[in-house]
Amino acid sequence: MTTIRITSYGTGHNDDPAATDPVVVDTTSLHNPPDDPAVRGQLTQKTGRDIEVARYVMATPGADRLVETAMQQIRDRLAEGRHQVDVHVSCFGGRHRSVSVALELAFRLRVLHAFDGEVHVAHRHIARPILPSRSA
């Protein structure tokens, strides 16, 4: 059986996951609640598991294209006959953008594309404290 392992994480924690030839998804170009004064107060303490955060992140222009590019890379690896595909989804803190995109990928794999194998999702830094902004 084929397994897809999706790991969300924050590069600011300096302990990125390891894997051979993972699909790498950098979400730092997407909207980040802690950086937006309009939503900072209501969304920062939530995570990408919360629908409000996921909607906010995925509403970023280009977010759907980013997810579709990752989906194509996953399909390519599956077409090569791989039995395990690792997907590393990063942002700076690992609580908002990477989690939202990781869950969107899992949804598309499980539901929209009826992937027959197993899809596992791990959020490496979701419970860590919010990191100071890189621009601070």
Side-chain angles (χ1 to χ4, degrees):
M1 176 175 285
T2 301
T3 301
I4 297 174
R5 297 187 314 187
I6 303 170
T7 304
S8 73
Y9 67 101
T11 58
H13 296 286
N14 299 313
D15 65 342
D16 301 357
T20 302
D21 193 28
V23 171
V24 176
V25 184
D26 179 353
T27 68
T28 56
S29 65
L30 303 180
H31 294 314
N32 188 25
D35 295 338
D36 183 348
V39 298
R40 183 181 299 138
Q42 63 199 118
L43 298 183
T44 296
Q45 295 304 318
K46 295 182 179 194
T47 71
R49 286 182 176 154
D50 293 292
I51 191 67
E52 305 94 334
V53 173
R55 285 182 179 149
Y56 173 82
V57 170
M58 292 305 299
T60 306
D64 192 58
R65 184 173 54 252
L66 181 76
V67 171
E68 273 307 311
T69 298
M71 289 295 295
Q72 185 58 53
Q73 291 174 348
I74 294 167
R75 286 190 291 268
D76 291 347
R77 283 171 171 76
L78 294 172
E80 294 170 1
R82 296 193 190 187
H83 294 288
Q84 179 174 308
V85 176
D86 287 292
V87 182
H88 294 172
V89 185
S90 68
C91 62
F92 184 63
R95 294 175 47 93
H96 302 101
R97 295 169 293 181
S98 62
V99 172
S100 298
V101 170
L103 292 174
E104 180 65 21
L105 285 167
F107 173 77
R108 291 185 189 197
L109 287 164
R110 290 176 176 147
V111 178
L112 300 182
H113 291 280
F115 174 68
D116 290 334
E118 296 181 10
V119 177
H120 299 279
V121 180
H123 303 297
R124 194 171 185 133
H125 300 128
I126 196 169
R128 297 261 183 105
I130 296 169
L131 293 175
S133 174
R134 288 186 283 189
S135 60

